[in-house]
Amino acid sequence: MDHFNYQKGELYAENIPVKQLAATYGTPLYIYSKATLLRHVQAFKEAFAGRNGLVCYAVKANSNLAILQLLAKQGIGFDIVSGGELARVIAAGGDPHKVIFSGVAKTEAEIEQALLAGIYCFNVESAQELDRINAVAARLNLVAPISFRINPNVDAKTHPYISTGLKENKFGIPIEEALGEYQRAQTMRNIKIKGLDFHIGSQLTQISPYIDAIKELKRLIRQLYGSGIQLTHLDIGGGLGVTYSVEAPPLPNELINAAYAELADLFEDVGTLQLIVEPGRSIVANAGIFVYKVEYTKDNLDKNFAIVDAGMNDNIRPSLYNAYMNIITVEENPSADIKLYDVVGPVCETGDFQGKSRQLRLAPGDLLAMRGSGAYCSAMSSNYNSRPKCAEILVDDEKAHVICQRETYEDLWRNEHLLDEAS
Ligand code: LLP
């Protein structure tokens, strides 16, 4: 359930007509619903009620400061993958002590930044990274809390570009090498072992891949305890899917309950570990829509195109992953015929589309809304074709807040410099 619904044939964002927002702020436009966002956070918090858990929102899904601020106010933590994301979390009022730092290529500068900020844990992805973290921590005379990201070699049954837990993926440490790395870490003076972590992919619509991974890692955890290495947490990553069309992914409490059930025998033997999750998409995707305008329609012999003012630079998911995202009309247009349209954008690339073969009743000037656009859309946008980035609006009941203003042409070249006359 979200808060983008039709009232008398017209789409609303909470209690504001989408048409009104488009008229005020222009298109293309990202619109988020505060109530939907908070509802999703609440679902995760409730799933952990009475249990020792921590929800770390994956900042990469949508890193707008106001969104991070709202989430920080809910008391949750953050999963980051760069120094820039850490800086955003802190600027938004997030607690660095609840920050987990994932990612395969942490630089020395980023490690130093994170150590000085006092983050909760580094998710270490290689032996070399462990050495680097130890060295930076030693130089700063600090102790780095770490967990190893283990690659359990399980199939997440999702798109290959967003599958991360298979042997052939670049992420994590092969499970066969894990014990040796933990033993090495235990001898390091500036390293404190905290946990174990996996993240097997994104847009997972079944619980079974998580359970397969937990089964693999339970064996490893027993081995670790057998050799005197104790943990305080287990991080099962993000990845919970959302409904873009007909998917029926598990709810947060179904996932968390299934994880606890699978972990019950282990917790009996070694004691309860804190359970961490790193959801991104499941918190923000359906809290956002992307609104754009039909500029032209064009009929070829065997195709109808709806040419809209939004491009792959604004939302690259359809082009990059062939992702299906639901496109609806903001208002019914009874005078137009229903046709099968490819919804395409202004960018000079054949791959610039938002949707293919969509049955829509539309005419030039009509507004379309793409559901499920809160995650990995504005966050992955670019200025390709010198297109200013879109405005972003957060709706709270009858109030609209501009949480990111539309870029101007000057913004496009703000960091560029002309050569001086003589050159
Ligand atoms: N933790 C780690 C270590 C991750 O790499 C990711 C996502 C997450 C958590 C959050 O996963 P989520 O709950 O959002 O599925 N751009 C792609 C998705 C890439 C996901 C990358 N990692 C898309 O638009 O589908």
Side-chain angles (χ1 to χ4, degrees):
M1 199 200 84
D2 61 40
H3 290 77
F4 300 103
N5 294 308
Y6 286 103
Q7 296 183 24
K8 297 199 183 106
E10 190 183 342
L11 187 66
Y12 275 64
E14 300 200 8
N15 282 315
I16 309 185
V18 167
K19 199 170 61 176
Q20 183 184 315
L21 292 169
T24 310
Y25 302 105
T27 55
L29 183 69
Y30 281 103
I31 302 174
Y32 307 110
S33 150
K34 180 180 169 188
T36 313
L37 190 71
L38 296 186
R39 189 173 165 270
H40 295 165
V41 177
Q42 199 51 30
F44 274 99
K45 283 171 73 172
E46 279 168 14
F48 277 117
R51 289 159 162 166
N52 180 14
L54 180 64
V55 181
C56 290
Y57 167 70
V59 174
K60 63 172 84 76
N62 189 320
S63 49
N64 180 282
L65 280 194
I67 293 200
L68 299 183
Q69 179 191 27
L70 278 178
L71 298 178
K73 274 196 188 154
Q74 299 303 303
I76 65 172
F78 297 91
D79 169 60
I80 60 160
V81 289
S82 70
E85 287 190 349
L86 177 56
R88 276 185 178 275
V89 167
I90 293 170
D95 181 357
H97 305 306
K98 290 184 187 164
V99 165
I100 299 238
F101 195 166
S102 305
V104 291
K106 301 175 191 80
T107 65
E108 275 194 33
E110 286 174 324
I111 292 167
E112 176 167 339
Q113 178 193 356
L115 280 169
L116 294 175
I119 66 160
Y120 191 62
C121 193
F122 290 89
N123 285 346
V124 178
E125 304 225 16
S126 65
Q128 289 178 11
E129 185 192 329
L130 176 68
D131 291 331
R132 180 179 273 186
I133 293 175
N134 187 40
V136 177
R139 173 162 58 73
L140 298 173
N141 205 14
L142 292 170
V143 173
I146 66 115
S147 142
F148 283 103
R149 176 168 177 180
I150 306 300
N151 185 330
N153 193 28
V154 301
D155 184 0
K157 303 188 179 80
T158 183
H159 189 287
Y161 281 18
I162 49 177
S163 182
T164 50
L166 282 171
K167 250 190 194 148
E168 62 255 38
N169 302 135
K170 69 178 174 183
F171 299 99
I173 293 177
I175 194 158
E176 301 80 12
E177 292 167 23
L179 178 60
E181 286 309 313
Y182 272 99
Q183 284 170 330
R184 231 162 54 77
Q186 213 183 13
T187 65
M188 294 179 169
R189 287 197 29 217
N190 297 85
I191 294 288
K192 165 108 182 96
I193 296 173
K194 298 276 289 186
L196 190 151
D197 135 75
F198 68 82
H199 170 80
I200 49 177
S202 199
Q203 184 55 10
L204 271 65
T205 52
Q206 296 168 40
I207 292 180
S208 56
Y210 287 99
I211 300 302
D212 292 347
I214 290 174
K215 281 196 171 119
E216 290 295 321
L217 294 187
K218 266 178 17 182
R219 267 200 293 277
L220 175 60
I221 294 173
R222 287 184 193 284
Q223 251 182 328
L224 293 176
Y225 275 71
S227 42
I229 296 167
Q230 297 190 352
L231 308 177
T232 50
H233 74 246
L234 171 65
D235 176 348
I236 63 170
L240 191 60
V242 301
T243 304
Y244 287 110
S245 58
V246 294
E247 307 91 329
L251 296 170
N253 70 333
E254 291 169 332
L255 172 64
I256 303 299
N257 288 343
Y260 274 106
E262 182 57 43
L263 287 163
D265 59 335
L266 177 78
F267 287 178
E268 237 168 65
D269 296 342
V270 306
T272 306
L273 302 180
Q274 180 188 39
L275 199 65
I276 299 181
V277 284
E278 305 167 357
R281 190 191 310 267
S282 50
I283 287 187
V284 278
N286 286 322
I289 57 171
F290 184 34
V291 176
Y292 36 84
K293 191 171 80 194
V294 180
E295 294 286 353
Y296 305 100
T297 54
K298 196 184 218 179
D299 300 340
N300 285 352
L301 275 185
D302 43 24
K303 271 233 182 279
N304 305 308
F305 294 103
I307 304 175
V308 299
D309 62 359
M312 64 191 286
N313 69 296
D314 303 305
N315 173 22
I316 202 173
R317 298 197 69 254
S319 310
L320 189 58
Y321 313 112
N322 206 16
Y324 177 94
M325 299 178 72
N326 193 9
I327 301 172
I328 56 178
T329 45
V330 167
E331 227 179 355
E332 275 169 20
N333 184 341
S335 59
D337 293 335
I338 289 202
K339 287 188 189 170
L340 216 51
Y341 285 102
D342 279 8
V343 180
V344 299
V347 172
C348 299
E349 300 266 353
T350 307
D352 178 28
F353 67 94
Q354 294 295 311
K356 291 201 166 155
S357 301
R358 303 303 173 89
Q359 211 158 33
L360 290 162
R361 191 193 284 277
L362 56 76
D366 286 356
L367 294 172
L368 300 177
M370 184 169 229
R371 287 189 176 276
S373 299
Y376 303 112
C377 294
S378 71
M380 291 173 76
S381 64
S382 78
N383 292 120
Y384 186 41
N385 277 205
S386 285
R387 293 173 46 78
K389 287 195 188 168
C390 305
E392 296 175 71
I393 305 295
L394 181 99
V395 172
D396 178 7
D397 193 22
E398 290 179 342
K399 249 180 122 170
H401 303 269
V402 179
I403 60 169
C404 184
Q405 66 199 48
R406 190 174 301 284
E407 282 185 339
T408 63
Y409 288 151
E410 287 72 25
D411 290 331
L412 291 176
W413 55 78
R414 188 166 302 287
N415 299 321
E416 299 174 24
H417 301 282
L418 289 170
L419 299 174
D420 54 31
E421 290 292 319
S423 48

